[in-house]
Structures are given as structure tokens and as C-alpha cells.
Amino acid sequence: MLDADFFRRWMTAAAAAVDREAERLTALDSPIGDADHGSNLQRGFAAVVAALEKEAPATPGAVLQLAGRQLISTVGGASGPLYGTLLRRTGKTLGTDAAEVGEERLREALRAGVAAVATLGGAAPGDKTMLDALVPAVDALGESFAAAADAAERGAEATTPLRARKGRASYLGERSVGHRDPGATSAALLVAALAEAADV
Amino acid sequence: MLDADFFRRWMTAAAAAVDREAERLTALDSPIGDADHGSNLQRGFAAVVAALEKEAPATPGAVLQLAGRQLISTVGGASGPLYGTLLRRTGKTLGTDAAEVGEERLREALRAGVAAVATLGGAAPGDKTMLDALVPAVDALGESFAAAADAAERGAEATTPLRARKGRASYLGERSVGHRDPGATSAALLVAALAEAADV
Amino acid sequence: MRMLINVPETVVADALRGMAAAHPELIVDVENRVIVRRDAPVDGKVALVSGGGSGHEPLHGCFVGPGMLSAACPGEVFTSPVPDQMVRAAAAVDSGAGVLFVVKNYTGDVLNFDMAVELAEDEGIQVAKVLVDDDVAVSDSLYTAGRRGTGATLFVEKIAGAAAEEGRPLEQVESLARKVNDNSRSFGVALDACTTPAKGSPTFDLPAGELELGVGIHGEPGRERRAMMTSREIADFSVDAVLEDMNPRNPVLVLVNGMGATPLLELYGFNAEVQRRLAERGVPVARVLVGNYVTSLDMAGASVTLCQVDEELLRLYDAPVRTPGLRWGG
Amino acid sequence: MRMLINVPETVVADALRGMAAAHPELIVDVENRVIVRRDAPVDGKVALVSGGGSGHEPLHGCFVGPGMLSAACPGEVFTSPVPDQMVRAAAAVDSGAGVLFVVKNYTGDVLNFDMAVELAEDEGIQVAKVLVDDDVAVSDSLYTAGRRGTGATLFVEKIAGAAAEEGRPLEQVESLARKVNDNSRSFGVALDACTTPAKGSPTFDLPAGELELGVGIHGEPGRERRAMMTSREIADFSVDAVLEDMNPRNPVLVLVNGMGATPLLELYGFNAEVQRRLAERGVPVARVLVGNYVTSLDMAGASVTLCQVDEELLRLYDAPVRTPGLRWGG
Ligand SMILES: Nc1ncnc2c1ncn2[C@@H]1O[C@H](COP(=O)(O)OP(=O)(O)O)[C@@H](O)[C@H]1O
Ligand SMILES: Nc1ncnc2c1ncn2[C@@H]1O[C@H](COP(=O)(O)OP(=O)(O)O)[C@@H](O)[C@H]1O
Ligand SMILES: [Mg+2]
Ligand SMILES: [Mg+2]
Ligand SMILES: [Mg+2]
Ligand SMILES: [Mg+2]
């Protein structure tokens, strides 16, 4: 069973990963975007970690809802509302009562969160967005956290040959081909952080 | 004896030299100035040649006065009024009546022209200006045109170690040391063109 | 890094402090990142709120004032602001007559403003929204996020701002704003990339002797890279690109907009070529605005925006405006 | 060459054609290179004429209009105009009340304007002249051409322009202009060189991570090169340099001026630091103006100008002005 502490560890690990990879994310956002993805998420996850420390929410759902709200309030850009919605909807699906949740329940909640991202952004897999990492990750989650992380990473890598159809990269048309999507890359970091939290 | 034709040849040779060396003059004006000396003189001497063709003044004095007026009306910057005054005063000293002038008379007229430049700009030899080429050139003119050209060239070269006290280069203080003065360089071209006109 | 900054993290906050000192006629809330016209809310007046990533100044913050925006929400550099800012701005300027959000069509701006609409309505504020999407370099198709909002934003904010100042109700201000956007098209060219504080180096490498056609205002590359062109050729290309997408019979407002680092001297020269091309193409010109209005940090280049106007739109465009960035009339 | 131009030779003429199209309220004589306010000569009013090399826009051409200049004479890029232009301008705007030439202190400008004074007087026009020399980076000594004219030009033209608009006689307009100059000091910094059309490459090489302190507005290098500084440090250095040369007891006008390619976002941030330093140094501030006003093509950097004002100067500064580049009041 996964408790509030697990989800806090996830967020802390995500913040650390984003910190570590911020320059790379911004660099990826440069040829097909506006060179801010790394600093956007750095700012957001730092706020998440600070808020979690300050408010110490007691349940998994409360942790994720607070994290999602923080991302919405501090990131801006496309990724702020999208990642914010991902965590908030996942947390809402978990509810705020249960002190612990099972992996099966988390998988369902994440599926709902990813669906909310798709609805909000109107994107589908293959559009060269974070969904290209998130959707396969949720599918592989039935197997294991590590498998999900692998799937997300492979999904992110597979965005390179795609032509973007959503977000800023879509303005480039054919010129977006050959570049890895920054949001799919950060999504893979997020899933890897989940596996890291589970691995302790 | 030197006729109007001689002075027209001088101006044509000067225009050609300035055209040829325009980039170099602008480049010299870059570290210690504002990178326009070459294009300034190019514009000016092109106008001189065009005006001489159109108006075909009949005497040495008239040629130089027209040339000086053209420089004043088309060059701008520091060099426009200074070179314009040099030629205008030289021409005025020659007067507009004489169809031919001797070398001695030209030397005196040029001395008056150079003195007018010194008065107008308030500069003296050693201040790292066109005067560092013009003054020794007039002094050497008693010997020969070629000697004047040599003296001007040596004077221009000798501006390199000087610290500028007049014009734009003076703003740089010590940092003006080590750069050859663009105006002294163009003055040497002007004197060389005079020797060239005499050499035909 | 050749930037006049302290550290990238404080660029926006520093700028807001500097705006506060320069513009006593504005209330600049540095902490919450909201710029509000000092006399807001104005009784009975519809309020206009806009915002977007920073780095496009004078857009939007310097367009706050009588006759234009009621408030602006600056995000991080090239990053849409967050819903909290927009809700706070709406609450500060709403007189009860409602608020119009002017939103440039970028995924981030749209998502954040949409969230703000919901939140503001929860607080009992009547909100309408207009999307600006004038950039013909992007085709408005299933394969893109739709056309970007660029230079037309100025016309929308100016004209809708004048309508609001006249006391028109929200639906009218909204439909005028939409009409201005529908009547506007833009095309932009970059001669050099910009450098964002976060990245610290140019957002794209443009080899000497090449230029980017159809560029946006966020340092993103354009649709096409070509060998350097003259001002005349760029004007032909830009005007023709815009006219492929509109066919103005009425007179147009023309914005010849600098991207940031192109000298005004060059912009005026470019304007001469744009006007020549418009005349060749038979487009009647009502007004011409030349300058750095919708910028992209220190990007070199320019964009051309045309906005077809009828008598009413022209009257509203000419109406007095008093903001740090745009100012004319009574 | 990353310039939005046709060929270097036509840059100024092209810009003037573009200005003519954008500003019907001005008469732009492209051939003779004179920009005149459309209603000139204004009966009984002293006329203000300025000019200088192009590349500093909006200075001077965009400062022509009610409340500021009567006419401007643009030279080639960074090259003083020729006397013919100034005489033509003076003749076009003189109502009989006389003409004041506002001349930035550069050898070329001084020599050409001096010739113009003689020629204009020959034509029966009463002419006075004021030299602007505010740049503290240059010491005013026998070993220099004297201090350069930079940012203070805006204050001189604005305040003397307002005095002329009020109908003051030539001697008074002249002595006010001189007083504004005497009360003003500036200091400038470059983060990157500019590229002139004629040269086609940067006028000096600034290695990454260095800056030029005490730079002029013609692409000339500064007095000193240093390792890159923060906005805060540059503000301290610039304000302190200015205050070494003046000790304002009265309130000052502050111009935080962009050199051309520095984004407005950064300029506002720099202004925050300038204001902090002025407060630390106990200098009372009356007005703050932030923007690209006295530029140097696409140079990156900024300058700070302080002008100490009494009640009269402040009133004249605040008086209405209606030009393409500066516009406020009534
Ligand atoms: N409509 C969308 N649906 C899902 N993800 C999207 C969408 N638009 C953009 N993204 C993701 O957001 C990432 C960019 O995030 P970020 O750089 O922070 O925002 P912005 O594009 O506003 O600068 C993209 O790489 C992409 O993965
Ligand atoms: N006061 C002066 N007296 C004599 N020559 C001068 C003076 N000031 C400048 N010069 C000359 O003018 C040259 C610069 O000419 P130019 O570049 O055309 O004008 P500007 O400095 O106005 O750009 C200098 O190299 C110098 O030789
Ligand atoms: Mg981005
Ligand atoms: Mg020069
Ligand atoms: Mg962004
Ligand atoms: Mg010059």
C-alpha cells in the first residue's frame, strides 16, 4: 500500500530530477519551442516541494491535489495547466480520505489524470507531446513501476521522428521532425521519479 | 605651370584613391572612431568629380573652390568641413582669374589652406589628426610633389603611437594609442593623388 | 550573456519594480504580478485584461491605461502567466460591467486563461474572452495549435479598449474585439534570434547571410530559412503572405513592428517598402504605426500586420489613448 | 549583414520615405533631408532646429512636432548633416522670431552647424546655438574634443521646445536650453557593439563576458573595458559616475535610455536599480523616463541621464508635447 509519504517522495524525486535536467529540458525546448520548459518545471516543482513541507497533507489524494494546484499557480505556459491537471485529477480520483492506496487504484487514478490532460490539451498519442510518454507509462504500470518508467522513456524517445500537431512545436510543421519533445522528456522524468519513490 | 586640367586630374585621382581605400579608411575609423570615414569621403569626392564634369570650371582656383564647396555640402562629419575648407581656402588664395599657377604659388595657397584647417578645427600637429599628414606635406612640397607625398605618408604613419587630442578619437584617451588616424591616412591619399596628377 | 540583468530568476520582478518607479499612473503589484490602471475599477466600464509571457514589451504591461487595457498579467519570459494573476486582475478592475480577457492564441495562454475564466466566474465576475490569432505563417488546421497571436493584439487592445472607454456593454466590446481579430493578419521575419535569460544563448542559430521567414515572437524558428533578402524583398514577401490570407477592400491599419533589436532607422526604411508594396497591390491605407510594439526580447527583424477597418473601427482606433506604450489624442 | 536594408547608400533616404508615410503631421523632404513640422513657421514662435548623424532614432527626427523641435536634419548614419540642410531647415521654420540650433558636441556637428549659422545669418535669419555636452565619460579638457552630447539632448529639446511653444523670445529659449544642458549629466554602457550599414560588421569586438563602460552613441568604444557586471553593479557605476560630476540638491529628471537592442524588459529592470541607487545617494527624483530615445543603431546597453530641475524647468518638461517619439499632456 502507498501512503502520503510515498507520494511526497515521488514529488521530491521529481523536483530533484527536474532540477538536474532543467538545462537539458530548456535546450530541447529551444529548436522547436521557446526555451523555457526546464525553468518552468524547476519553478513549479520547487513550489510543490515547499508547499508539501509547509502544509504536510496527510493523504495521497491531498498530496497530489496540493501539488497539482501548485503547478497550476506557479508554472504557467502549456505545461503548467497540463501537469497541474494531471496531478490534481489523479489526486481527486484518489479522494482525500484514504490514508493509503493500492497500486491498482493508483493506476486507475493516473489513467484518469492522463485522460484529463488529453481532454484539456486536445492532444492524442502521436502528436509529439507529453502524452507520448504518459499514455504508454500508464499502460505499462500494470506490470511494474520500472516498466512504466521504461515505457515513458521509450515513448519520449519515439517523439523525435514525429511531426508536432499540438503546442508550440506544431508551428514548425515539417521542421519539428528530428527533435525530441521536451514535454515528453519531462514526463518520462516524472514517471522515473515515481519508480524511484517506489524503489526505496 | 599648372592649369585647371591639372587640378581636375588631382581631384579625379583623389576620388579614385578614396574609392579604392574606402574600406580601409572606414576600418581605421572603427577602433578609434565611428566607422564612417571611408564612406564619407567616397560620397564627397564622387560629388566633386560629378560637379567638375558638369560645371567644368576654367581656372585652378575655381576648380578647388567648387571641389571644396561640394565636400562641405555632401560629406558632413568632421572631415567634410575640414577638407572642404582646405580646398576652398586653397582655391580662394589662388583666386579665380589665373588660368595657370606656378608650383610656388600652389605651395603658398596650400599652406593657407592647411592653416585654415588648423584654425577651424583648433588642432595642431601631434594631435593625431589629418594635420599630421598635411603639415609635413606642405613643408616638403618645396622639394617635389613626390617628396610631399612621402612626407604625408610618413606623417600619417607616425600618428599610430600618438594619443588623440581632437575629434572623436580623443574620447578614448589612452586607448587611442596604437591606432593609425583615419583622417591622416586619407590626407596622405590626397597628397599622393596630387603627386600622381603631377606625374602625368 | 550580454544581458542587462541581475539573475534570470528576478528579471520579471525587477522589471515590474522599474515600471512602478517610472509609471505612477499605474498600480504595479510586483509580488502578484499584476499591473492595473490606477483609477480602476471605472464605474460602469467594461474592463479589458490581457497578459502573456514577458519579453514582448511594451505589450501588454505598457498598454495599460485609459483607452486601452485595464490590467495586464506578465508571465515569466515567454511563459504564459498563471490563472491566479488573471483572476486577481479581473477582481481588481471589474466594476460590475464585466471583464474581457484578450488572449493570444498559444496553448499555454489559452489553457491558463480558460482556467482563469472558470475561477473568475466562480467569484461572480462576468467574463468574456477573445482569442487573437493573426499570424499567417501558421496554418490554422488540425495539424497545428492554430494561428499564433502577434501584432493584431495591439489593434484588438486599442480598439476594444476605446469601445470599453465609451461605455459599451461587454457583448459589444467582445464582438468588436473579435471583429478586429478577424480583420487582421500578420507575418514576421527574423534576421537574428533572441537570447532568453533562462537559456543565456540565442534560441536558434542563424548562419550569417540567412534569415527566418514566418517567425513567431517567442524565439521559435520560422517556417522557412532562406538566403538573406533586401528590405524590399522582405516587404514584398511579407505583404504578399498577408494578402494571400485576406483581400482588403476597405482601408487598412498598418503596423510595421520591430522585433526588438532592429533599429528604428531600418524599420522606417522597411515601412517605405511595405507602403510601396501595398500601393502596388492596390490596398488602401488608413493609418500607419511604425515601432517596437510586439517584441521578442532582442530579436532582430520585423513583422507586418494589416487590419481592415470600417468607419467605426477607425474612429475607435483614433480615439484617445494614454498608456506608457501608446499615447495619442485628447 | 543582418540588417533590414536595401543597400547602405540608401538607408537614410529609405527611412525618410518611411517616416513620410507614417507621419502625415510632418513634412519630410527626402531629397534635401529635412523634417519639418507641418504647421511651420508658427507665427511669433522661436523655432528649434536640431540634427545629427542618423542611427540615434527617435532622436532627432521623431522629436519634431508641437512642444519640441520645429525641424530636424538627419545626416548619414553617425555622420553629422551638412550646412545646406540646416540652412534650409532654418529658412523653412523661421517666423521672424529667430532659430535656435541644438547641437550635440561632436567635432563634425559643431563645424557643420557653425558654417550653417554663418550662412543662415547671411540670409537674414537670427540664429542662436546651444551645445549639448553631458557625457561624463569624457573629460572636458584640452586633451579631448570636450564632453559628448548624449541623453541630455532630449531634455534640452523638450524643455526649450516647451519654452518656445509658450512664445518666449530667442534669448530666453536659448538661455533655458543652456541651463538644461548645464544641469544635465550622462553615463553610458555597452554590452555589445552596433553594426553600421557602411561597415557591415560590429564597430568593435567585445569578447563575451565583457562590457564597455563610458561608451558613446556612435559605436565608438568606451573609456574602459571590464568583466561583465550585473544590472545592479552597472546602475551603481553609472549613477556614481554621474554624481561625481554633479551634486543635485533639487529634484532630477531621470532618463534611463536604451541604446537600441536592449529589451524594454531589461531597461525597466535596470531602472529599478538606478532608482535604488539614487535613493541610496539621497537624490530626489521628479520624473522618470525609460525607453529607447537616444540610440546607437543596434547597440546593446543603456545610459543614465540626470537633469536637475527647478519649478520652471519641471513645468516646461511636463508641458504638452506631440511628436512621433515623445508625446504627453493636453
Ligand atoms: N495540447 C497539448 N497537449 C499535451 N501536451 C502539450 C500540449 N501542448 C504542449 N504540450 C507539451 O508541453 C510542452 C511544452 O511545455 P512548456 O515549454 O513548459 O510550455 P510552452 O510551450 O507554453 O512554452 C511540449 O513539449 C509538449 O510536450
Ligand atoms: N579638430 C580636428 N582638426 C583636424 N582634423 C580633425 C579634427 N577632428 C577630426 N579630425 C580628422 O577627421 C577624421 C575623422 O573624419 P570622419 O570620420 O569623416 O568624421 P567624424 O569623426 O565626424 O566621423 C579624424 O581621423 C581626424 O583626422
Ligand atoms: Mg516552452
Ligand atoms: Mg568617423
Ligand atoms: Mg513558454
Ligand atoms: Mg561620423
Side-chain angles (χ1 to χ4, degrees), chain A residues 91-113:
Chain A
K92 278 199 170 178
T93 309
L94 293 178
T96 43
D97 293 341
E100 297 192 319
V101 299
E103 295 192 12
E104 173 64 29
R105 198 152 156 52
L106 172 58
R107 191 163 77 236
E108 271 158 31
L110 273 173
R111 195 178 294 282

Side-chain angles (χ1 to χ4, degrees), chain D residues 16-320:
Chain D
L16 290 176
R17 286 190 296 130
M19 277 194 75
H23 304 299
E25 71 276 20
L26 303 177
I27 299 172
V28 181
D29 181 340
V30 178
E31 198 191 324
N32 296 300
R33 305 199 166 191
V34 175
I35 300 164
V36 178
R37 116 184 215 193
R38 190 161 285 283
D39 60 354
V42 178
D43 255 7
K45 186 181 125 9
V46 167
L48 251 73
V49 173
S50 192
S54 293
H56 308 302
E57 292 66 28
L59 186 86
H60 301 269
C62 297
F63 292 155
V64 174
M68 217 159 163
L69 294 179
S70 312
C73 310
E76 280 297 320
V77 172
F78 292 170
T79 301
S80 141
V82 298
D84 312 50
Q85 291 170 269
M86 301 148 191
V87 173
R88 187 178 291 265
V93 297
D94 182 33
S95 69
V99 176
L100 178 67
F101 283 163
V102 178
V103 185
K104 302 198 296 305
N105 187 37
Y106 300 95
T107 306
D109 295 73
V110 171
L111 295 180
N112 283 283
F113 267 102
D114 279 353
M115 289 188 163
V117 170
E118 257 183 60
L119 294 167
E121 282 174 349
D122 286 354
E123 296 195 11
I125 303 172
Q126 195 192 349
V127 187
K129 192 189 77 173
V130 61
L131 268 192
V132 183
D133 64 341
D134 54 313
D135 187 348
V136 300
V138 174
S139 54
D140 186 11
S141 77
L142 271 180
Y143 303 103
T144 68
R147 286 197 313 245
R148 297 177 286 220
T150 61
T153 316
L154 180 147
F155 291 135
V156 171
E157 294 179 359
K158 172 66 190 76
I159 290 173
E165 209 71 42
E166 278 188 353
R168 308 268 200 108
L170 183 58
E171 317 78 64
Q172 282 185 29
V173 175
E174 178 191 351
S175 78
L176 275 166
R178 194 153 290 136
K179 182 171 166 186
V180 173
N181 179 63
D182 291 346
N183 286 5
S184 298
R185 296 290 186 280
S186 298
F187 189 84
V189 172
L191 307 186
D192 212 346
C194 60
T195 298
T196 60
K199 180 151 189 273
S201 60
T203 52
F204 55 84
D205 279 324
L206 194 52
E210 301 192 11
L211 85 178
E212 291 273 345
L213 292 167
V215 83
I217 55 171
H218 296 88
E220 61 268 55
R223 294 281 294 197
E224 199 187 333
R225 187 168 284 189
R226 288 222 189 160
M228 190 60 197
M229 294 157 72
T230 63
S231 167
R232 184 189 177 92
E233 291 163 346
I234 295 172
D236 287 353
F237 196 97
S238 305
V239 169
D240 290 354
V242 166
L243 292 180
E244 217 165 273
D245 223 81
M246 76 192 294
N247 184 12
R249 289 283 143 255
N250 282 336
V252 296
L253 312 175
V254 184
L255 170 62
V256 171
N257 174 62
M259 294 300 195
T262 288
L264 199 47
L265 184 74
E266 296 177 21
L267 278 185
Y268 275 118
F270 183 53
N271 179 46
E273 299 298 344
V274 167
Q275 298 300 324
R276 174 195 49 74
R277 188 57 177 175
L278 288 171
E280 287 170 6
R281 296 288 308 262
V283 177
V285 171
R287 298 288 181 273
V288 180
L289 189 63
V290 178
N292 291 293
Y293 290 105
V294 182
T295 62
S296 185
L297 290 175
D298 63 341
M299 187 156 89
S303 64
V304 177
T305 303
L306 303 185
C307 172
Q308 191 174 189
V309 290
D310 54 24
E311 266 177 40
E312 180 184 36
L313 294 187
L314 184 57
R315 185 180 59 72
L316 291 167
Y317 178 74
D318 284 340

Side-chain angles (χ1 to χ4, degrees), chain B residues 34 36 40 168, chain D residues 78-79:
Chain B
D34 58 350
D36 63 358
N40 282 350
R168 219 172 269 292
Chain D
F78 292 170
T79 301

Side-chain angles (χ1 to χ4, degrees), chain C residues 2 23 206 268 273 327, chain D residues 2 6 23 206 268 327:
Chain C
R2 282 180 179 173
H23 304 300
L206 194 54
Y268 275 118
E273 299 298 344
R327 195 176 270 263
Chain D
R2 286 185 174 168
N6 288 317
H23 304 299
L206 194 52
Y268 275 118
R327 194 178 269 264

